[in-house]
Amino acid sequence: MRIFQSTEAVIALVLILVMFAIGLVNPAFWGVSNLFSLAKSNVVIGIMALGVLLIMISGGIDVSFPAISVAALYITVRSMVALGYDGVMLPFIAACVIGMSLGALNAVIIDRFKMIPLIVTLGTASIIRGLVLGLLGTSIVNINKMPKELIEFGKQDLVSVTAQNGATVGLTAMVLVYLAIAVVVHLMLKYTMIGRSIYAYGGDAESARRAGINTRRTIFFVYCTAGLLAGFAGLLHSSMIWQANPRDFIGLELDVIAAVVLGGASIFGGRGSVLGTMIGVFTLVMVKNSLILMKVDTTWQRVVVGVIIIAATAITAWRDRKKLV
Amino acid sequence: MSEPLIELRNISKRFGGVRALDDVSISIRPGEIHCLAGENGSGKSTIIKVMSGIYQPDEGEIIIDGTPVTQLDPIQAVQKGVQVIYQDFSLFGNLTVAENLALNTYILEGRSRMDWRRARQMARDVLERLGVRIDIDADVETLPTSGKQIVAIARAILAEARLIVMDEPTTALTRHEVDALFDIVRDLQSHGIAVLFVSHKMREMLEISERLTVFRNGRKVAEGDMRDFDEASITHAMTGLELNDEPYLAQLSSNKAPVLQVSGLRVPDSVSDVDLTIRPGEIVGISGLIGSGRTEFARALFGMEPAASGQIVINGKDQFPRSVQQAIALGVAYVPEDRLSEGLFLTQSIERNMVVSILERLRKGLFLDHARMRNRTEEMFDAMQIAAPSADTAVGNLSGGNAQRVMLGRWLLTGAKILILNGPTVGVDVGSKAKIHRIIRDLARNEGLAVIMISDDVPELVGNCSSIHVMHEGRFVAELSGADMTEAGINDSLKSLN
């Protein structure tokens, strides 16, 4: 456990250094409105990242969660519009169930055919996106048609302050939702046997089987939970931006995987923590956000994300290899 | 005489048309140290799997504590106190020692909560009982092999083992660690826990075991008190052959020029100031612990240590091999220790595995000369006495000994003058081992090949080498030859290094 702690300390240190560097270049970074918007950008990516974290600890990888998110949010919102239903609780439950079912589909294929998760989720991602667009159409549900209660839910602020320019800026209450989920995932990983079985399975699948762990249950738990979190994050995203776009989240898998790897999770499985992942997400979101503040063309953000993935993976691989000596 | 803890009576087990076990019986008493010996494929691992409930026998009875057990399954076996420690230990490298120790117990208890405090307490208690100091909060992958083994033993004790089966427990251990392991095993014995060693390292088994059972081809061929056996009789029982154990005497004539002269060889951090001279027909052994620099020394001769410096004269040519290609051109061949990961293409045929070293020479224009390729392969296939249906068999289907001979064949095809063997018979069974030794000696004697043999297996070195160097911390610290070259001498020399 000490290794995780030290890994997290290193990432936190990197985060603080980058924050000060960005603050020096652009003092607007420390403005309340920027910090609040930064926190807001963490929520959806962060929840998705927690799902991806589980999968990566188990030694797998998932590139289908953006597609799962989109399916969950678009199916839910379109159904609400079609039925004329408005509400919060039931739609979120529906989004979670859709996400979980699609996660279970991944798990079935991976477990039954002993296939590589990357290939499976590449395939399911394409199938899910194609089905959503083909069966439900490509029209965006805009603010005028979006269910009002969903919008009101996403609008809630925790605190609001008046910025220097006179505008009111608020810290979204969705941050609390994110933190609550993070705490639950952390406790699950650290203090339940199913959580420890994910680490065990990611460390050595064969030994896990010999130790009597029900590895099928572990696989299903991991992919279903990741699907559930993706579905939930999808609808949350929709309620926060007041629209449902079936082409949303394209290319997001790379950002989220980069954030999780940056947070110290090993792509070989067996290592990773909630705190590290949250710091990784924060760092990635902050860097991207600051590139916008510094008026760097958005195309360059892809370059930065790519560099982060390679650098963070290299560092974790180097760490793991070093420990083998 | 106490009642047996576990007794297997007249067990038979077939897989398809193959009889893996044919009417075998074995019994183990509480607190006994028992050794099960046999070559690969003799049925050793099948009987372990029957004992631990993984396989159901076709015929025969399993009797535990005097009562027959029908349909023994893995969970029942664990409940009855049978624990198997596999060669890879089945530990989780990414988890701490404490968690590794507690995990199985928690799973057996069907818990859903991870109780860290109790896990650490359990770990502390069991390690104290074993009298070893291991940091319970360290990740298991940071421990040396011997540490991992202790964790595996501790885990078995926590599962209330009454019989611990250890599969090849001493393979990756140094002599010092083997002694420590044996102390722990004797301590287990004093607590009434029986230990079944499955091994083919006869010498070590003779030191510790009380009783012996030998399997060959799925049948029990010998059993009894260890006192009644010696190494030769066990080997005879395992192989059914009489193996001659005459030491190798190089036929040296002083007029032969040295084929290899090394002086002042250095590899940063691992080898310093090593001198070595070998004449054709000599077999020089190098002994030393893992990490003594012996592997780096071999790699440097084969052009694989780019930062190495010093003087190397091969066949009178003063040229330091800077790449594997150069080394091969100079006539050096290297057979690495881990031939599966470092050398052989398992899914490819014997032929392709052999000729890969000489493809350039088999070229005819733009294409390969298949007829010549086949000829060269068949010659070598016969010379190496490879047991396989044909040269088209995939190497992955061969036994360890045959795979090693394919590797030897590959390098001999290059016309090498100097052959470096690192652990030539690791994982090879006794009969095959003798065959490999005979081939190497014949090559040295008849073809004038100079051989450097690096090995942990002291009897192997003493039996085959004309002289032996002991390496420690990157230097040659002792040289033994002629009458000084005894196992005791080398063991003493190795022990004094610790």
Side-chain angles (χ1 to χ4, degrees):
Chain A
M1 287 306 119
R2 285 166 303 178
I3 283 141
F4 292 132
Q5 279 163 16
S6 67
T7 308
E8 282 147 9
V10 171
I11 311 159
L13 192 70
V14 170
L15 171 68
I16 290 165
L17 288 177
V18 174
M19 278 172 101
F20 276 102
I22 294 170
L24 280 180
V25 176
N26 189 345
F29 174 80
W30 293 107
V32 176
S33 65
N34 184 52
L35 291 180
F36 281 4
S37 99
L38 207 56
K40 186 176 179 178
S41 319
N42 265 276
V43 173
V44 169
I45 290 197
I47 296 173
M48 289 176 174
L50 291 171
V52 172
L53 170 69
L54 297 185
I55 291 177
M56 289 192 52
I57 295 173
S58 81
I61 196 148
D62 183 5
V63 294
S64 69
F65 64 88
I68 294 180
S69 272
V70 160
L73 82 89
Y74 197 62
I75 294 172
T76 309
V77 173
R78 280 290 296 269
S79 309
M80 289 172 80
V81 173
L83 298 169
Y85 178 86
D86 203 352
V88 176
M89 219 29 204
L90 208 58
F92 270 104
I93 292 173
C96 288
V97 170
I98 294 169
M100 214 164 119
S101 317
L102 294 172
L105 174 70
N106 280 334
V108 168
I109 303 173
I110 290 167
D111 177 62
R112 195 51 58 81
F113 303 108
K114 306 276 170 266
M115 280 176 71
I116 301 167
L118 177 64
I119 303 299
V120 172
T121 54
L122 270 173
T124 52
S126 181
I127 293 169
I128 293 167
R129 276 201 188 270
L131 283 178
V132 167
L133 294 176
L135 297 178
L136 292 175
T138 56
S139 64
I140 297 174
V141 178
N142 277 320
I143 181 161
N144 52 348
K145 279 205 196 139
M146 272 292 282
K148 294 288 166 290
E149 282 189 42
L150 217 50
I151 290 178
E152 287 308 314
F153 176 75
K155 255 189 192 171
Q156 296 171 75
D157 281 340
L158 208 55
V159 286
S160 56
V161 292
T162 311
Q164 286 147 328
N165 59 6
T168 311
V169 288
L171 174 63
T172 176
M174 299 308 117
V175 174
L176 290 183
V177 177
Y178 172 38
L179 290 180
I181 293 176
V183 169
V184 170
V185 173
H186 172 75
L187 294 177
M188 184 276 294
L189 277 178
K190 179 107 204 228
Y191 294 105
T192 68
M193 288 305 287
I194 183 82
R196 300 319 295 172
S197 82
I198 302 174
Y199 283 97
Y201 183 77
D204 188 336
E206 183 54 35
S207 299
R209 241 170 257 127
R210 282 188 197 153
I213 289 171
N214 183 342
T215 54
R216 170 168 298 170
R217 195 178 70 149
T218 306
I219 293 174
F220 272 85
F221 178 82
V222 162
Y223 284 90
C224 288
T225 310
L228 182 148
L229 290 173
F232 182 86
L235 192 61
L236 194 64
H237 172 76
S238 204
S239 78
M240 285 166 78
I241 64 163
W242 314 333
Q243 70 166 19
N245 178 358
R247 295 193 202 272
D248 217 335
F249 296 144
I250 285 178
L252 192 68
E253 59 274 13
L254 213 58
D255 286 15
V256 173
I257 292 169
V260 176
V261 173
L262 189 62
S266 165
I267 49 162
F268 308 113
R271 294 194 182 280
S273 71
V274 167
L275 185 60
T277 300
M278 292 176 77
I279 300 174
V281 169
F282 195 87
T283 310
L284 187 94
V285 168
M286 186 182 70
V287 169
K288 288 188 73 173
N289 167 292
S290 307
L291 292 176
I292 298 170
L293 278 191
M294 288 187 256
K295 301 193 174 59
V296 177
D297 195 273
T298 47
T299 47
W300 288 96
Q301 290 181 21
R302 308 309 308 157
V303 178
V304 173
V305 171
V307 169
I308 288 179
I309 283 204
I310 293 176
T313 309
I315 290 166
T316 38
W318 173 74
R319 170 196 73 184
D320 292 349
R321 187 164 343 128
K322 204 177 111 181
K323 289 198 311 117
L324 291 175
V325 174
Chain B
M1 198 173 281
S2 56
E3 178 186 17
L5 171 69
I6 182 167
E7 192 178 357
L8 282 80
R9 271 191 208 152
N10 310 106
I11 301 282
S12 293
K13 176 81 189 167
R14 327 175 129 265
F15 296 103
V18 183
R19 252 185 194 283
L21 290 175
D22 188 3
D23 193 31
V24 296
S25 303
I26 182 171
S27 78
I28 296 158
R29 289 191 289 263
E32 174 179 78
I33 302 177
H34 196 117
C35 175
L36 175 60
E39 301 200 304
N40 293 336
S42 61
K44 285 180 303 186
S45 33
T46 312
I47 196 102
I48 296 175
K49 286 182 174 158
V50 169
M51 229 181 254
S52 55
I54 294 171
Y55 291 158
Q56 304 298 326
D58 298 331
E59 283 161 49
E61 279 192 294
I62 302 170
I63 298 153
I64 300 178
D65 299 325
T67 31
V69 183
T70 48
Q71 296 287 320
L72 185 74
D73 62 36
I75 295 172
Q76 248 187 327
V78 168
Q79 283 166 349
K80 302 263 184 204
V82 179
Q83 284 282 327
V84 182
I85 299 177
Y86 293 96
Q87 239 178 315
D88 64 1
F89 304 134
S90 294
L91 294 170
F92 301 102
N94 57 326
L95 305 181
T96 65
V97 171
E99 188 172 6
N100 265 285
L101 289 175
L103 205 61
N104 282 36
T105 310
Y106 285 3
I107 291 166
L108 275 182
E109 290 173 358
R111 300 167 126 281
S112 57
R113 203 170 66 80
M114 175 73 203
D115 185 343
W116 287 98
R117 186 200 294 257
R118 185 175 150 224
R120 303 182 74 240
Q121 190 58 47
M122 278 163 67
R124 266 196 296 270
D125 290 349
V126 70
L127 291 175
E128 194 175 323
R129 183 177 148 191
L130 284 175
V132 286
R133 262 164 200 258
I134 291 179
D135 179 1
I136 60 169
D137 295 317
D139 283 353
V140 162
E141 69 193 10
T142 62
L143 302 179
T145 309
S146 55
K148 288 179 187 148
Q149 189 167 49
I150 288 167
V151 174
I153 294 172
R155 187 172 65 176
I157 295 172
L158 279 174
E160 286 167 17
R162 294 188 301 149
L163 166 65
I164 300 179
V165 182
M166 295 192 205
D167 192 2
E168 297 293 351
T170 59
T171 306
L173 301 187
T174 62
R175 183 62 234 183
H176 218 60
E177 291 165 334
V178 170
D179 288 339
L181 171 70
F182 285 177
D183 284 343
I184 289 177
V185 167
R186 288 194 191 95
D187 181 58
L188 293 176
Q189 181 183 29
S190 68
H191 287 87
I193 298 174
V195 175
L196 175 64
F197 282 116
V198 182
S199 180
H200 52 233
K201 282 209 170 175
M202 284 310 101
R203 200 149 304 226
E204 287 164 4
M205 292 308 114
L206 279 165
E207 279 175 43
I208 186 149
S209 304
E210 299 167 317
R211 281 214 301 152
L212 172 77
T213 302
V214 183
F215 278 14
R216 185 169 79 231
N217 296 330
R219 289 174 156 279
K220 181 164 75 181
V221 289
E223 90 176 306
D225 263 17
M226 207 48 143
R227 281 192 298 270
D228 304 335
F229 289 91
D230 60 18
E231 199 166 350
S233 61
I234 298 172
T235 306
H236 176 60
M238 280 166 69
T239 59
L241 307 168
E242 292 287 353
L243 301 175
N244 62 332
D245 234 11
E246 277 169 43
Y248 175 76
L249 292 173
Q251 324 229 306
L252 286 180
S253 46
S254 49
N255 58 2
K256 274 188 188 159
V259 63
L260 173 72
Q261 274 175 300
V262 177
S263 43
L265 182 72
R266 266 174 189 283
V267 177
D269 300 328
S270 49
V271 178
S272 35
D273 289 323
V274 166
D275 301 332
L276 183 68
T277 303
I278 306 184
R279 287 171 214 282
E282 260 187 303
I283 303 178
V284 174
I286 297 179
S287 177
L289 304 173
I290 290 171
S292 60
R294 49 185 205 179
T295 298
E296 289 77 5
F297 170 66
R299 287 167 54 92
L301 294 182
F302 198 50
M304 287 170 82
E305 293 283 349
S309 62
Q311 196 191 25
I312 297 181
V313 182
I314 299 171
N315 276 327
K317 232 192 242 173
D318 185 357
Q319 191 185 356
F320 199 101
R322 287 288 164 202
S323 69
V324 173
Q325 287 77 4
Q326 268 185 25
I328 292 175
L330 286 165
V332 183
Y334 175 53
V335 180
E337 188 162 26
D338 190 351
R339 56 185 172 274
L340 297 185
S341 68
E342 280 187 54
L344 291 167
F345 307 100
L346 296 179
T347 56
Q348 298 287 338
S349 68
I350 293 174
E351 171 168 34
R352 289 184 170 185
N353 268 286
M354 277 191 172
V355 298
V356 66
S357 59
I358 52 162
L359 282 181
E360 197 54 35
R361 294 181 215 167
L362 291 172
R363 222 161 52 126
K364 197 164 72 179
L366 275 177
F367 303 97
L368 286 173
D369 182 345
H370 281 277
R372 206 146 67 87
M373 191 158 126
R374 180 48 57 140
N375 278 339
R376 300 294 312 268
T377 309
E378 306 237 293
E379 276 168 33
M380 207 35 92
F381 188 83
D382 293 340
M384 290 295 120
Q385 306 169 33
I386 294 164
S390 78
D392 296 322
T393 311
V395 167
N397 297 333
L398 301 180
S399 70
N402 281 307
Q404 182 69 307
R405 276 176 266 158
V406 172
M407 197 73 183
L408 280 177
R410 172 194 293 175
W411 290 113
L412 295 172
L413 279 175
T414 65
K417 294 282 164 244
I418 303 162
L419 179 63
I420 308 167
L421 302 165
N422 196 351
T425 56
V426 171
V428 169
D429 55 45
V430 181
S432 218
K433 194 165 160 176
K435 215 180 255 178
I436 289 174
H437 288 161
R438 201 156 47 232
I439 291 172
I440 295 170
R441 290 157 171 226
D442 287 350
L443 287 167
R445 187 176 292 127
N446 306 334
E447 320 269 329
L449 195 69
V451 180
I452 298 176
M453 187 185 279
I454 302 171
S455 179
D456 277 327
D457 188 345
V458 175
E460 170 170 69
L461 291 179
V462 172
N464 292 293
C465 296
S466 34
S467 65
I468 298 173
H469 292 273
V470 178
M471 202 162 175
H472 183 58
E473 290 181 348
R475 294 168 190 277
F476 283 175
V477 292
E479 182 181 354
L480 300 101
S481 60
D484 301 338
M485 206 172 67
T486 60
E487 278 171 49
I490 291 171
N491 279 330
D492 288 347
S493 166
L494 283 173
K495 264 186 191 164
S496 66
L497 301 176
N498 289 326

